[in-house]
Amino acid sequence: MRRSRRVLIVAVAAASTVLGGCTDDGPRLVSGNAATPGELARSGGDATVFNEGNAAFSQSVPGLEREDNRAFAVGNNFFNDNWVTAPASTGGRDGLGPMFNAQACSSCHTFDGRGAPPVSIEDPERGLLLRLSIPGADGVPQPDPNYGGQLQDRAINGVVPEGRIEITYTDLPGTYADGTTYTLSSPTYSITELGYGPLEDDVMISPRVAPAVFGVGLLEAIDEATLLALADPEDSNDDGISGRPNMVPNESGQLVVGRFGWKSNVATVNQQNAGAFHGDIGITSSLNPNQDCTEVEIDCAAAIDGGTPELDDQKLQRITFYTRTLAVPARRAVGQAETRGGEELFSEIGCASCHSPQLVTGDSEIAQLSEQTIRPYTDLLLHDMGDGLADNRPDGDATGTEWRTAPLWGIGLVDEVNDHTRFLHDGRARDLTEAILWHDGEAAAAQKLFRELTAVERRQLVTFLESL
């Protein structure tokens, strides 16, 4: 075991110079070894804030001008306040539904952080939704004819909700190399109380919890060439890692590297926000101008809307500016012995092959996001994570076993900010250790090496993750 780990560290050390922004000669290389503890703590570069409390994910990037601070405050207001049924005296926030999952962005992204699956059948499914699709004749998934592309479990008065999500869990026991046992919790999803007839027999269901939204402006500012240079779709270096981009249309219809969503199926922050308003809250915009009602949902189609569109471009731009300028919390305990030991193990067993520790952003119209050395611990690429995590539902170029490498910055503050420690795309992992143990496919070798660590080493690695 020790020999295999030492072989891996040679490969990681060779890759310790990571890709950054572009120069005239191509992607710029940035040393990953020369940073001081103070620099390592600044996960978002100039867009870092030093806050360890429950507002750690909700701060604006430092140094915004007065006008920008005003735009941030307006966007924050529209992100956090509930939308109401039309017509209403609050005409700027009416048009909720007719069917929806939440009344505000913050219903799922509480304090701009992560959602979680319900803890009981009585607990509402805030922060968790189900994507729906059926196989298309040309291989491209199509919405379910009765329920569309997303199950909406709530509705305004006079409209029947689409259904109710139920989750059952099965225990999966396992054992570390040192004999310590563990148990994973495997979810099974079903939909009950269907309001508009049966689902198609071949419907594909994909559960998704709401991810944290801070730092998205920095991820958007990474040059596309940087991400493409990290890709290795044919595994040409034979290291078992074959990350590849999900090429998706931007607002102009141009195919670009996807960055957002659990399968990197959205190109820009603005598209992500407009799509969430449409699918999650039932609010139309210029990007999604039609109500999300199928042909059989007659009451939905007949409901009064809040205008055409319900979210005008100015408001959408304010919300997008708000999310783009949410700062990244600084790392804690940088340089402490246990944290440093865990960081070394993180690289040794191969986690850094996908969770790229350091990147550099390109130019941005927001100065604090431009040309920043950042430490998001992601490559934003698709990786095959094995059958255990598969949703078996294609999404753009992503297959049913592929997922985007999730950014790890701020992950150690989820418990403080969001009062839970549920991780992965559907929140099945009850802590960071379980999240690691669910990794398979391209991450199978790293997961195996994690199980071969001693209890002390496992604790060191988790301590490092908790410092991010």
Side-chain angles (χ1 to χ4, degrees):
M1 172 264 189
R2 292 295 176 187
R3 177 174 297 175
S4 63
R5 281 177 55 202
R6 293 299 174 246
V7 170
L8 272 172
I9 194 171
V10 171
V12 172
S16 63
T17 298
V18 295
L19 290 161
C22 290
T23 67
D24 292 339
D25 300 319
R28 185 170 60 235
L29 297 178
V30 178
S31 171
N33 297 324
T36 66
E39 291 169 334
L40 290 173
R42 289 164 46 83
S43 298
D46 289 345
T48 303
V49 290
F50 290 80
N51 189 323
E52 301 179 23
N54 62 8
F57 301 159
S58 301
Q59 307 297 298
S60 65
V61 300
L64 292 180
E65 299 292 338
R66 178 179 297 180
E67 185 78 14
D68 287 340
N69 273 318
R70 187 179 298 114
F72 181 89
V74 172
N76 177 39
N77 189 273
F78 280 105
F79 189 91
N80 285 285
D81 281 5
N82 283 347
W83 289 74
V84 298
T85 305
S89 57
T90 54
R93 287 188 179 81
D94 67 347
L96 175 68
M99 291 186 286
F100 56 97
N101 298 106
Q103 288 182 258
C105 305
S106 59
S107 299
C108 301
H109 304 279
T110 307
F111 299 116
D112 304 292
R114 286 181 57 92
V119 297
S120 71
I121 196 170
E122 291 81 18
D123 186 34
E125 293 84 11
R126 307 300 164 258
L128 173 77
L129 58 82
L130 299 183
R131 297 269 188 246
L132 306 174
S133 57
I134 59 174
D138 56 358
V140 178
Q142 300 297 317
D144 181 272
N146 289 346
Y147 294 93
Q150 179 173 319
L151 186 81
Q152 293 163 322
D153 60 343
R154 303 174 68 189
I156 63 174
N157 289 335
V159 178
V160 177
E162 290 184 323
R164 179 171 181 168
I165 304 169
E166 290 191 1
I167 312 173
T168 57
Y169 292 93
T170 302
D171 287 344
L172 300 179
T175 306
Y176 292 107
D178 62 8
T180 304
T181 59
Y182 61 83
T183 303
L184 301 180
S185 187
S186 178
T188 300
Y189 299 89
S190 59
I191 303 172
T192 63
E193 302 177 25
L194 289 167
Y196 299 93
L199 289 159
E200 291 291 297
D201 291 338
D202 53 356
V203 68
M204 297 176 284
I205 298 174
S206 181
R208 313 281 178 91
V209 295
V213 294
F214 66 85
V216 295
L218 289 165
L219 299 179
E220 187 178 49
I222 299 169
D223 284 317
E224 184 166 289
T226 295
L227 301 177
L228 292 175
L230 291 170
D232 185 17
E234 304 302 324
D235 191 17
S236 58
N237 61 359
D238 199 31
D239 66 349
I241 306 299
S242 53
R244 64 194 188 98
N246 194 353
M247 302 302 294
V248 298
N250 62 13
E251 293 170 44
S252 302
Q254 178 186 5
L255 285 181
V256 297
V257 174
R259 300 161 190 257
F260 306 108
W262 284 102
K263 287 181 180 264
S264 280
N265 60 324
V266 181
T268 70
V269 175
N270 200 53
Q271 287 175 296
Q272 180 75 1
N273 289 339
F277 266 99
H278 189 241
D280 302 352
I281 310 178
I283 300 295
T284 59
S285 66
S286 60
L287 297 185
N288 303 98
N290 301 315
Q291 293 289 355
D292 191 14
C293 306
T294 66
E295 290 185 3
V296 301
E297 295 171 340
I298 298 172
D299 290 339
C300 173
I304 298 174
D305 62 35
T308 307
E310 293 162 327
L311 179 67
D312 64 41
D313 285 345
Q314 184 180 32
K315 292 173 186 172
L316 177 58
Q317 289 166 7
R318 291 292 185 267
I319 294 161
T320 294
F321 183 83
Y322 168 72
T323 50
R324 289 180 74 195
T325 54
L326 282 169
V328 178
R331 273 190 62 186
R332 286 89 43 219
V334 179
Q336 293 184 8
E338 189 166 5
T339 305
R340 188 169 63 250
E343 185 171 11
E344 292 171 357
L345 290 166
F346 182 85
S347 292
E348 284 187 27
I349 69 174
C351 304
S353 297
C354 301
H355 292 282
S356 301
Q358 183 171 298
L359 298 168
V360 172
T361 66
D363 291 331
S364 172
E365 61 188 25
I366 301 171
Q368 292 83 353
L369 309 182
S370 183
E371 299 292 331
Q372 297 299 309
T373 299
I374 61 174
R375 295 171 175 83
Y377 289 87
T378 180
D379 57 13
L380 297 179
L381 300 175
L382 298 172
H383 293 274
D384 188 330
M385 296 300 292
D387 292 337
L389 288 177
D391 65 353
N392 300 312
R393 178 183 179 273
D395 200 330
D397 293 333
T399 70
T401 60
E402 288 181 316
W403 298 96
R404 178 190 77 156
T405 304
L408 299 183
W409 53 13
I411 200 167
L413 290 171
V414 171
D415 190 17
E416 173 66 28
V417 176
N418 299 124
D419 199 29
H420 69 79
T421 56
R422 304 300 292 258
F423 300 106
L424 299 180
H425 68 278
D426 57 358
R428 69 177 65 190
R430 293 166 293 192
D431 55 35
L432 291 170
T433 298
E434 288 189 16
I436 298 169
L437 292 168
W438 271 109
H439 281 54
D440 203 352
E442 294 177 42
Q447 184 246 63
K448 179 177 182 291
L449 289 173
F450 177 74
R451 287 188 287 109
E452 293 175 350
L453 297 176
T454 67
V456 170
E457 290 173 321
R458 295 196 300 270
R459 181 62 240 170
Q460 286 180 327
L461 197 152
V462 171
T463 297
F464 162 65
L465 294 176
E466 291 173 341
S467 79
L468 295 179

